[in-house]
Amino acid sequence: MEDINLHFTGDFHAVTSAHNLLAAMIDNHIHQGNELDIDARRVLWRRTIDMNDRALRHIVVGLGGKPNGFPREDGFDITPASEIMAILGLSLNYADLKKRLGDIMVGYTRSGKPVYARDLKAHGAMAALLRDALKPNLVQTIENTPAIIHTGPFGNIAHGTNSILATKIALKLADIVITEAGFGADLGAEKFINIVSRLGGWAPKAAVIVASIRAMKFHGGVPKKALAEENVEAAVKGFANLEKHIENVRNWGIPPIVALNHFPTDTDAEIKAIAEKLDELGVPWALSDVWAKGGEGGIELAQKVLDAVENSNAELKPTYDLDEPLEDKIRRIAIEVYGAEDVDFVGKTRKTLKQLEELGFRDAFICMAKTQYSLSDDPKKLGRPTGFRITVREIRLSAGARFVIPVTGDIMTMPGLPKVPAAVNVDIDENGVISGLF
């Protein structure tokens, strides 16, 4: 686990290097005469680093006089939010990778025309840096079963799934393939259905919704410090959040199975109450003790998944058609998946969407950037909120990935460290043994 969480194969470093190579080539092009007439005020390509560092969200580069280039505003995103991470996860081969990298829009000329990475002749070198990173990584569980780990786009600020290549390879090697679409049915699953499955050319036979009674009590109004105490009423109240995820999965034409992650503090009364709610909805479910017992703790769940797959009549129903206007696609996700009343497009967001359609991106996918803590764009709205609106405050384009990214609420593509960073608990002893990662 330490190897996987610390550098692993270098994939993240390769993405970071390729991303920042393009950033350096943009500034160098402007400094060396700016043959493309790039407008330094309209450079879209930020820099990236695989570290939460709020001080880098907004910076100024090029200070220090003529030898250091032209001063301009810039900023950093975290590597999992990089368009290159998304491109790596969606590319099918080296030719596809290089084309997508070349299609990255880096900014505009002073006359308003788009500038792409291919115009800077950067995409070949970027693809070279990503040569080995394109290959999925085979690892094993502690029970010696195979697992493929590849790419790392966050589910709340990117598309949140492993690579298409990894899944295609897995489908060649096994009868049943399970993949993760992180951060709930409102984020990870929505993007897996509307983006990844379309590009991958597959339709899931079933969906496992991972939940816990602790989380339901939290959504039912119980503070974190009191989650270990029995509270059947709060668990039942918070079940409304899980119910919405179940509805979403069914609306996509996929049969759901609920995996209840079993905590030692869960009481029989709480489990019984949630079981009754799931039974009322006709949803197969099982307690999962995999965290404590390994594979043995997931046998019942595995059987429920097998039964669902063998009897599946799944028929994939995406949320939107690709030829719909961009604004309509965003609105459909907000209303149908989140349960919002409507969407507020603030500032220049509507104008940006219109410009993107004029540039030929009307058929792009929508990759919402939204908090994972709530169905709304406000992390404090727990449970299953109603009567809320989604606020889109910024529109970003990932042209190589063919994403339009609406940034909602207060979501940040460069997170900050908490008051007590996890790093303070990480250490290494005189034998090189690492502790504190988990």
Side-chain angles (χ1 to χ4, degrees):
M1 290 188 288
E2 287 81 4
D3 292 336
I4 289 172
N5 283 276
L6 292 174
H7 310 298
F8 197 24
T9 58
D11 290 356
F12 271 58
H13 299 312
V15 169
T16 303
S17 295
H19 185 115
N20 290 332
L21 169 64
L22 180 55
M25 289 184 71
I26 294 167
D27 285 316
N28 183 64
H29 183 88
I30 295 172
H31 176 70
Q32 299 291 355
N34 200 5
E35 181 181 344
L36 294 173
D37 197 31
I38 298 172
D39 188 342
R41 300 163 300 180
R42 300 190 70 189
V43 173
L44 304 175
W45 193 249
R46 292 156 59 89
R47 286 166 159 82
T48 192
I49 185 172
D50 189 30
M51 183 69 62
N52 293 4
D53 192 346
R54 61 173 55 84
L56 295 178
R57 287 173 183 162
H58 301 287
I59 62 173
V60 176
V61 297
L63 297 178
K66 185 176 180 180
N68 297 325
F70 288 84
R72 66 177 184 85
E73 292 186 62
D74 201 355
F76 276 78
D77 293 325
I78 194 167
T79 298
S82 167
E83 179 180 350
I84 294 177
M85 183 66 82
I87 287 173
L88 191 68
L90 301 176
S91 297
L92 300 177
N93 48 52
Y94 288 124
D96 188 28
L97 172 67
K98 194 159 77 168
K99 180 187 182 304
R100 287 178 176 274
L101 292 172
D103 287 344
I104 293 171
M105 187 190 295
V106 301
Y108 293 91
T109 66
R110 280 182 281 197
S111 62
K113 296 180 180 179
V115 180
Y116 298 94
R118 60 178 176 267
D119 297 326
L120 292 160
K121 298 180 175 58
H123 54 309
M126 293 165 68
L129 286 170
L130 296 166
R131 184 192 67 176
D132 292 334
L134 185 63
K135 303 171 185 175
N137 310 295
L138 178 65
V139 296
Q140 62 181 320
T141 69
I142 57 176
E143 294 184 350
N144 308 117
T145 55
I148 299 176
I149 296 178
H150 195 215
T151 70
F154 280 177
N156 61 338
I157 53 180
H159 69 281
T161 68
N162 62 271
S163 72
I164 289 178
L165 268 180
T167 301
K168 283 184 174 290
I169 290 173
L171 287 166
K172 293 287 187 180
L173 299 175
D175 296 323
I176 304 290
V177 174
I178 298 174
T179 185
E180 181 189 11
F183 286 154
D186 55 323
L187 287 168
E190 181 269 308
K191 294 167 185 178
F192 187 80
I193 297 302
N194 289 317
I195 301 173
V196 181
S197 292
R198 277 169 154 161
L199 290 172
W202 56 63
K205 295 291 186 182
V208 179
I209 303 174
V210 181
S212 71
I213 289 173
R214 284 175 60 92
M216 282 179 256
K217 288 194 289 188
F218 182 69
H219 277 285
V222 176
K224 289 183 180 179
K225 62 182 179 181
L227 290 176
E229 302 170 10
E230 181 178 274
N231 193 324
V232 175
E233 182 181 353
V236 171
K237 180 181 178 182
F239 179 82
N241 181 271
L242 175 58
E243 186 175 18
K244 175 57 176 166
H245 293 299
I246 292 169
E247 286 181 14
N248 283 339
V249 169
R250 283 176 163 168
N251 287 341
W252 289 315
I254 305 170
I257 306 104
V258 170
L260 280 178
N261 270 348
H262 192 196
F263 283 75
T265 55
D266 296 343
T267 68
D268 291 342
E270 291 171 336
I271 295 171
K272 181 175 182 291
I274 297 305
E276 289 175 353
K277 299 291 287 185
L278 290 168
D279 290 341
E280 287 174 9
L281 294 176
V283 180
W285 66 276
L287 289 178
S288 175
D289 282 305
V290 173
W291 67 274
K293 301 177 182 179
E296 183 183 350
I299 291 176
E300 182 184 358
L301 174 62
Q303 189 58 57
K304 294 286 177 71
V305 173
L306 283 173
D307 292 343
V309 169
E310 289 171 0
N311 299 300
S312 177
N313 57 355
E315 183 181 349
L316 197 63
K317 302 173 183 176
T319 307
Y320 54 81
D321 294 327
L322 289 176
D323 59 359
E324 291 183 57
L326 296 173
E327 186 174 323
D328 290 355
K329 295 179 197 175
I330 296 168
R331 183 171 282 107
R332 284 173 71 90
I333 293 172
I335 294 173
E336 296 177 22
V337 180
Y338 306 159
E341 283 191 343
D342 207 346
V343 180
D344 294 321
F345 295 91
V346 300
K348 298 179 179 179
T349 52
R350 268 204 173 96
K351 180 181 179 182
T352 302
L353 289 173
K354 183 179 179 181
Q355 289 174 338
L356 292 179
E357 289 188 351
E358 291 171 350
L359 288 172
F361 292 101
R362 177 178 169 133
D363 64 347
F365 298 104
I366 301 298
C367 187
M368 300 286 281
K370 183 185 79 71
T371 180
Q372 69 270 30
Y373 297 113
S374 172
L375 288 163
S376 74
D377 57 7
D378 180 354
K380 295 179 181 179
K381 292 185 184 297
L382 301 178
R384 184 175 181 172
T386 58
F388 66 91
R389 300 173 72 88
I390 294 292
T391 300
V392 175
R393 60 178 176 79
E394 182 184 356
I395 298 292
R396 294 188 181 185
L397 174 68
S398 291
R402 207 69 187 175
F403 292 166
V404 169
I405 304 176
V407 182
T408 70
D410 294 325
I411 195 72
M412 294 287 183
T413 49
M414 169 53 80
L417 292 172
K419 186 174 182 179
V420 182
V424 303
N425 297 315
V426 179
D427 203 356
I428 185 171
D429 66 16
E430 63 275 10
N431 296 314
V433 177
I434 292 169
S435 60
L437 276 177
F438 306 99

